[in-house]
Amino acid sequence: MDLEVVRMKLKDRLAGIPTRAAWWSATHPWWAIGSWLLFVIAAVALATIVATERPTDADYRVGESGRADALIHDAGLAQPPGERVLISAPDGGLDRSVGNAAAATVADEMTEVESVEEVGDPIPSEDGAALLVPVILDSEDVDVDPLLAATAAAQDAHPDLSIEQTGDLSLVAAFEDRLGEDLRSAELISVPIVLILMLLAFGALIAAGLPVLLAATSVAATIGITAPVSHLVPADLSVDSMIVLIGVAVGVDYSLFYLKRERQEREAGRGTVNAVEIAAETSGHAILVSGGAVIASLAGLFVLTDATFNSLASGAIIVVAVAVLGSITVLPALLVKLGRWVDRPRIPGLWRLNRRIGRGGISGRLIGPVVRHPVVALVIAAVGVVVLAAPALGMKTHEENIEAVPGDIAEVQAFKRIAAAYPSEGGTVTVVAQADSADRADVVAALRRLADDAAETGHFTSGGEVRTSSDAGTSTIEVAMPYNQADDRVAAAIELLRSDLGPTVLAGVAEEWAVGGEPAHTLDDSEKRADRLPLLLGFVLLLTCLMMAASFRSIVLGAVSTVLNLASVGVAFGVLVVVFQHGYGESLLDFTSPGFVIDWVPIFVLAVLVGLSMDYHVFVISRIRELVASGVPTRAAVHQGIVDSAGVVTSAAAVMVAVFAIFATVSLIEIKMLGVGLAAAILLDATLIRLVVLPAVLVLLGDRTWWPSSPARRASSAR
């Protein structure tokens, strides 16, 4: 009994955090506002004081390819980075002497660049229609702009030819430039759209601006905090964009929850401070629970033990925590200082429309049939969910490759032309073997024999020269494949090399050996993510289930929440497959289907979707529980709770759908996938699942929803 009393007191103390924070902020508003401003300024200053740590190549090592890379790096056999310059004639007929003259110009221009270590001899294509000039660089930390300028100078000197450059460094630089342009454009568009949606939700300028202000300051503070955190979890280049994406969604949502409830209480005749206190007890508690659910869901990304996902998870978790902190501290202080001025200045047309639609919103008017006919509503909705989710069973995932990158990028066009003219310049795998230096000759002979055996299978075309470390303990050979990386036969070829050819030739000769290279890394990374996706799904669903069960003291509610989350994930995956794997909507969304879903997108969609959908799920359940605790029967509480919260849910979902839909307009297909997947999933989740399936299930369950302890009984005991 004593343990139960302690548990109940602890529960009450945790539940009272939003109320106590709001009360302090309401009675010390200038202190709360000033403290928040100092916090944001100090956090932003951190980014200028502390350098951001980025992941290194070693952070991305995985599986056998990672082991091969480590062996090569430790032996000092890492190949220097290089660029390639393709020389061809627009009409397809390249005069050899003219081509050689252009190659000489390329060499002259490139040798003037400080970072160029060597320019190789031009390599003619098999049909003689092109020349390829290899450029060896002195390090990976190279500015590609002088290299591109050298190529452009050679092009100017030979205007009748086509001279174009590509390579790992220039491709990455071009990709990052395009990614930055796309995300900046999306972020700039999202702010006015979110403000418009807030104006529609409130009909008043100040009320509309507060959620945007909280989201913006939360994002700014988080980006600053990320700098020192990156020394524990290195920050991927895309983390800032993900912080903006998640920060805007949760920052606006939490403000919506608080503002709407505070306005309802003021309309009921309560004073501002009293209204803020009630909003803290209800919406503030919902924000705390939903924030915890979002953080728990995003924490699941750490299960993948991947440098990129670790970075995205840490950034997203911090921005959610900051948004929760702001919503229960500075927001109450602002509401107290503004008082009824929060509803000023009113936009006449929007204000009248907002009042005419009413608190329940349009969605609130659709809940009646669901409550009256829960079985019919549930069956129809379940059929819809199954139809939408069914394509997910055929999902094919693959790591992003050149086929999934916008073809209008010059470096991508050059890469594809080189791959067509020089098949051996496509994917290559690296076999590395380590043995005692006395066995060097045997290892070298074995690697050459392995390359010959591989070529005889037809999966490989040729082997390069064997390179040996200075201590003669490690040797490597590169073996080329006649396939591009998107070809399904690449995986079969690598597995053949690893499981059959390699053991046959190298067993007993090498103490340790491994197959690496970019295609092998892609295979290992995809297999690791595929293996860990069920673990991630189980972690996220179990943790959110436990949080819901603990927060609402209902095992049944925890189970229902888990099933609904699983349905949402299935729908999201089904949409991704239909649109991007099967190509429906290519012309509308302006993309060419790669025939697969980029492997990291479903993983991130899963974590983000479950987290964000719990926002309004918790808000709806909190309102229903509040009514049940006041003595309203569960069936009536479900109807009234949905009506009371429908306007907030609709507005919150509209913000998320709008922000994610903007990301669906960018040119990079991986970001487009992320935007489409999240926008479609949130739209269907907020309507079909949370406003049809959820109330239908709760009505059918009745008081069993709250098993093992009813809110009404707990409220009666408390009194």
Side-chain angles (χ1 to χ4, degrees):
M1 183 64 182
D2 291 341
L3 289 176
E4 179 64 17
V5 170
V6 170
R7 188 186 71 82
M8 292 294 291
K9 286 184 177 180
L10 179 61
K11 181 81 175 177
D12 291 339
R13 286 180 65 84
L14 291 174
I17 289 175
T19 306
R20 291 198 298 273
W23 179 253
W24 183 87
S25 297
T27 53
H28 306 82
W30 289 120
W31 277 102
I33 296 170
S35 299
W36 179 257
L37 287 175
L38 285 175
F39 165 68
V40 173
I41 292 170
V44 172
L46 282 175
T48 62
I49 298 171
V50 181
T52 300
E53 188 76 15
R54 299 295 182 189
T56 64
D57 289 343
D59 293 320
Y60 293 105
R61 289 172 183 161
V62 58
E64 184 172 335
S65 61
R67 187 160 53 87
D69 185 63
L71 289 172
I72 292 171
H73 182 271
D74 292 343
L77 289 172
Q79 288 273 40
E83 291 288 297
R84 295 173 291 177
V85 178
L86 180 67
I87 301 171
S88 59
D91 59 3
L94 178 66
D95 182 272
R96 187 61 180 272
S97 61
V98 174
N100 285 335
T105 303
V106 170
D108 291 341
E109 293 290 343
M110 286 294 182
T111 52
E112 295 295 321
V113 180
E114 185 178 354
S115 58
V116 173
E117 187 172 282
E118 179 186 351
V119 179
D121 295 330
I123 305 168
S125 62
E126 290 184 5
D127 59 5
L131 286 176
L132 189 65
V133 180
V135 180
I136 308 302
L137 307 175
D138 58 10
S139 73
E140 293 186 355
D141 188 18
V142 168
D143 182 4
V144 297
D145 288 340
L147 302 171
L148 295 172
T151 301
Q155 175 68 80
D156 292 340
H158 300 273
D160 295 334
L161 299 178
S162 173
I163 303 178
E164 46 194 343
Q165 176 186 329
T166 190
D168 291 341
L169 298 184
S170 56
L171 274 171
V172 169
F175 179 84
E176 290 176 356
D177 287 344
R178 178 61 63 86
L179 176 63
E181 292 171 6
D182 283 348
L183 294 178
R184 280 193 296 272
S185 174
E187 290 163 7
L188 287 174
I189 295 172
S190 65
V191 173
I193 287 181
V194 170
L195 188 55
I196 290 171
L197 289 172
M198 291 299 94
L199 285 172
L200 290 172
F202 291 105
L205 193 58
I206 293 178
L210 285 180
V212 178
L213 179 64
L214 178 64
T217 53
S218 299
V219 166
T222 302
I223 291 175
I225 294 171
T226 300
V229 171
S230 69
H231 290 265
L232 298 175
V233 182
D236 189 81
L237 286 170
S238 58
V239 69
D240 286 354
S241 298
M242 291 304 105
I243 287 172
V244 173
L245 192 73
I246 304 300
V248 169
V250 298
V252 170
D253 280 6
Y254 296 160
S255 300
L256 263 173
F257 297 164
Y258 218 106
L259 278 165
K260 286 281 189 178
R261 187 55 187 264
E262 190 266 351
R263 174 188 272 185
Q264 289 176 17
E265 297 305 325
R266 279 194 291 106
E267 289 175 351
R270 293 181 173 86
T272 299
V273 174
N274 194 16
V276 168
E277 185 178 10
I278 294 174
E281 292 174 353
T282 54
S283 295
H285 177 260
I287 289 168
L288 206 60
V289 174
S290 64
V294 176
I295 289 172
S297 180
L298 292 168
L301 293 173
F302 289 116
V303 172
L304 301 171
T305 63
D306 179 277
T308 298
F309 285 116
N310 287 348
S311 173
L312 296 179
S314 61
I317 286 171
I318 293 172
V319 79
V320 172
V322 171
V324 169
L325 178 65
S327 66
I328 64 175
T329 56
V330 70
L331 186 58
L334 289 170
L335 291 176
V336 167
K337 291 307 297 182
L338 289 168
R340 296 187 178 274
W341 279 97
V342 74
D343 290 330
R344 304 288 193 280
R346 296 173 179 174
I347 312 300
L350 292 179
W351 178 264
R352 285 194 297 271
L353 177 64
N354 191 274
R355 310 304 290 178
R356 187 176 297 116
I357 292 175
R359 187 168 63 186
I362 297 173
S363 301
R365 288 153 171 74
L366 304 178
I367 190 62
V370 175
V371 174
R372 289 194 299 271
H373 309 287
V375 175
V376 175
L378 184 59
V379 169
I380 294 174
V383 170
V385 169
V386 170
V387 169
L388 291 169
L393 297 174
M395 179 184 287
K396 176 184 175 184
T397 61
H398 196 284
E399 190 170 87
E400 185 184 30
N401 54 45
I402 200 69
E403 300 301 325
V405 178
D408 61 342
I409 297 177
E411 289 79 3
V412 172
Q413 296 173 356
F415 183 94
K416 291 181 177 179
R417 280 192 274 271
I418 290 174
Y422 298 84
S424 63
E425 292 290 325
T428 60
V429 295
T430 304
V431 183
V432 54
Q434 196 173 64
D436 190 273
S437 58
D439 299 324
R440 172 183 176 179
D442 293 337
V443 171
V444 170
L447 288 174
R448 287 173 177 162
R449 187 165 64 254
L450 177 61
D452 292 339
D453 292 349
E456 290 178 3
T457 67
H459 284 299
F460 300 89
T461 57
S462 62
E465 291 297 321
V466 176
R467 297 185 304 117
T468 303
S469 61
S470 58
D471 63 1
T474 305
S475 300
T476 70
I477 189 170
E478 289 191 350
V479 188
M481 291 183 292
Y483 319 125
N484 65 50
Q485 281 191 227
D487 198 309
D488 291 336
R489 292 171 292 183
V490 169
I494 294 171
E495 288 300 326
L496 177 66
L497 198 60
R498 286 175 168 175
S499 60
D500 187 3
L501 301 178
T504 301
V505 176
L506 295 173
V509 178
E511 296 174 2
E512 184 177 4
W513 65 277
V515 177
E518 188 60 33
H521 170 78
T522 298
L523 176 62
D524 292 340
D525 207 29
S526 296
E527 288 182 346
K528 177 186 175 184
R529 290 176 180 178
D531 290 343
R532 288 182 173 264
L533 182 57
L535 184 61
L536 169 64
L537 180 60
F539 177 90
V540 169
L541 293 179
L542 178 61
L543 199 54
T544 51
C545 172
L546 293 175
M547 287 196 65
M548 288 297 296
S551 299
F552 294 99
R553 305 181 193 179
S554 168
I555 296 173
V556 173
L557 202 51
V560 168
S561 301
T562 302
V563 173
L564 295 185
N565 286 336
L566 190 59
S568 298
V569 170
V571 168
F573 286 4
V575 170
L576 285 173
V577 170
V578 169
V579 175
F580 293 100
Q581 186 171 314
H582 299 316
Y584 291 96
E586 284 182 321
S587 57
L588 178 64
L589 294 171
D590 189 25
F591 75 98
T592 300
S593 171
F596 58 83
V597 177
I598 295 174
D599 58 1
W600 71 268
V601 173
I603 294 172
F604 197 71
V605 166
L606 161 64
V608 173
L609 172 61
V610 172
L612 294 185
S613 64
M614 292 299 287
D615 269 359
Y616 41 81
H617 180 75
V618 169
F619 186 75
V620 171
I621 296 296
S622 295
R623 183 59 180 146
I624 294 172
R625 186 187 68 165
E626 184 184 339
L627 291 167
V628 172
S630 68
V632 178
T634 296
R635 188 186 189 96
V638 169
H639 183 278
Q640 188 59 44
I642 297 291
V643 169
D644 288 349
S645 58
V648 182
V649 169
T650 302
S651 299
V655 169
M656 286 193 256
V657 170
V659 170
F660 295 142
I662 292 169
F663 282 80
T665 65
V666 304
S667 61
L668 291 177
I669 195 168
E670 60 178 344
I671 304 300
K672 191 184 291 287
M673 282 186 186
L674 184 65
V676 169
L678 286 173
I682 293 292
L683 176 62
L684 292 167
D685 183 87
T687 53
L688 182 64
I689 293 176
R690 308 294 169 175
L691 293 181
V692 178
V693 177
L694 175 62
V697 169
L698 295 183
V699 168
L700 290 173
L701 287 172
D703 290 338
R704 288 169 295 186
T705 298
W706 315 105
W707 185 84
S709 177
S710 167
R713 189 162 56 251
R714 288 200 301 270
S716 177
S717 300
R719 288 192 292 268

